[in-house]
């Protein structure tokens, strides 16, 4: 069965970077994009971007351009999302989800807390 | 505007039918996708495209479109349908989510 297992919670200081991983299993990793979505505490969902596992092409939300990098490692079937120059309002649960359009399987989420 | 607008709160009596709407100009060109999210859980895909349900989603969930509005209809709402519902759709710069609708089943 399809599973996306994300890395554990992180606590970072403002200005630092965080890299969240998402290990996929149960499907052909190369044939799907991976979408990243975040959710601040008590808030709605926010699309961050997606990356093709086939060719590495990525599309980022305008809000995050220059601050986010999404990558994939096909040898380990793992997707990564790195967010730099963290601010307090980057505190959120970060999700990976399979597919670019209408992502159908989601990871369990990774809580990233940014605090001095 | 590329925003997607949802009513923040909707309620329905147990067993009745409820419609949750998502409005935005982008819906004139692109389909909506609908997700259900329960507290402390990841979102779950419930509808996509014209009116497609992933396997495992009950057929009481259906979708429709009119102009700039997409609707998610739950026919015969159950207690387990109480959740937050989010729509999303493409826009010129990627994908955008609506603000979400909290559905209460009375």
């Amino acid at each position: 069965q399809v599973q996306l297992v994300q890395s554990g919670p992180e606590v970072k200081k403002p200005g630092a970077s965080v890299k969240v991983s998402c290990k996929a299993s149960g499907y052909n990793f190369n044939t799907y994009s991976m979408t990243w979505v975040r959710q601040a505490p008590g808030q709605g969902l926010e699309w961050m971007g997606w990356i093709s596992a086939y060719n590495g092409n990525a599309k980022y939300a305008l809000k995050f351009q220059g601050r986010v990098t999404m990558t994939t490692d096909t040898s380990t079937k793992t997707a990564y999302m790195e967010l730099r120059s963290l601010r307090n309002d980057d505190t959120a649960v970060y999700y990976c989800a399979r597919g670019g359009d209408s992502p159908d399987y989601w990871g369990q989420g990774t809580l990233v807390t940014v605090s001095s | 505007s590329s925003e997607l607008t949802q009513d923040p709160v909707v309620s329905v009596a147990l067993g009745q039918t409820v419609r949750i709407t998502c409005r935005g100009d982008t819906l004139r060109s692109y389909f909506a996708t609908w997700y259900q999210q329960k507290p402390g859980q990841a979102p779950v895909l419930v509808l996509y495209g014209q009116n497609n349900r992933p396997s495992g989603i009950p057929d009481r969930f259906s979708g429709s479109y009119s102009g700039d509005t997409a609707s998610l209809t739950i026919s015969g709402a159950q207690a387990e349908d109480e959740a937050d519902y989010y729509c999303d759709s493409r826009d010129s710069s990627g994908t955008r989510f609506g603000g979400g609708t909290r559905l209460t089943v009375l």
Side-chain angles (χ1 to χ4, degrees):
Chain A
Q1 73 282 20
V2 175
Q3 279 195 305
L4 300 175
V5 179
Q6 298 184 223
S7 48
E10 303 262 13
V11 179
K12 297 291 183 181
K13 294 193 182 302
S17 298
V18 68
K19 192 170 187 176
V20 178
S21 68
C22 171
K23 185 167 178 59
S25 62
Y27 71 97
N28 187 343
F29 182 75
N30 292 17
T31 59
Y32 287 84
S33 296
M34 193 71 77
T35 289
W36 290 88
V37 172
R38 76 176 187 181
Q39 186 170 36
Q43 302 301 308
L45 302 175
E46 182 173 30
W47 182 79
M48 300 183 69
W50 69 58
I51 182 168
S52 166
Y54 174 71
N55 58 19
N57 288 346
K59 185 172 182 65
Y60 305 134
L62 290 174
K63 174 178 179 176
F64 299 104
Q65 284 183 12
R67 214 162 60 94
V68 70
T69 301
M70 297 175 188
T71 56
T72 58
D73 183 340
T74 55
S75 68
T76 60
K77 299 183 180 181
T78 303
Y80 299 91
M81 186 284 300
E82 181 181 35
L83 189 61
R84 300 178 292 278
S85 303
L86 289 169
R87 307 186 287 253
N88 289 343
D89 63 0
D90 289 319
T91 294
V93 175
Y94 289 76
Y95 293 103
C96 62
R98 185 184 78 161
D101 286 324
S102 309
D104 54 359
Y105 288 89
W106 292 61
Q108 83 277 19
T110 295
L111 175 62
V112 176
T113 302
V114 182
S115 173
S116 54
Chain B
S1 167
S2 61
E3 292 188 353
L4 295 176
T5 302
Q6 297 184 242
D7 293 327
V9 178
V10 172
S11 61
V12 61
L14 184 67
Q16 297 303 300
T17 295
V18 62
R19 179 179 295 180
I20 299 170
T21 61
C22 174
R23 185 165 55 87
D25 287 341
T26 188
L27 296 174
R28 297 183 184 278
S29 305
Y30 297 104
F31 289 125
T33 297
W34 291 93
Y35 307 89
Q36 176 194 72
Q37 187 181 34
K38 297 182 179 179
Q41 297 183 18
V44 171
L45 176 68
V46 294
L47 276 179
Y48 63 99
Q50 180 68 47
N51 183 18
N52 301 304
R53 283 176 287 107
S55 74
I57 301 301
D59 60 6
R60 63 178 179 271
F61 290 87
S62 64
S64 60
Y65 295 84
S66 178
D68 68 351
T69 300
S71 299
L72 166 67
T73 299
I74 307 175
S75 303
Q78 302 299 302
E80 60 264 31
D81 300 333
E82 185 162 288
D84 293 331
Y85 290 85
Y86 294 91
C87 63
D88 83 11
S89 188
R90 290 280 192 104
D91 69 7
S92 57
S93 55
T95 294
R96 182 177 293 272
F97 283 97
T101 297
R102 177 151 296 177
L103 177 67
T104 300
V105 179
L106 304 172

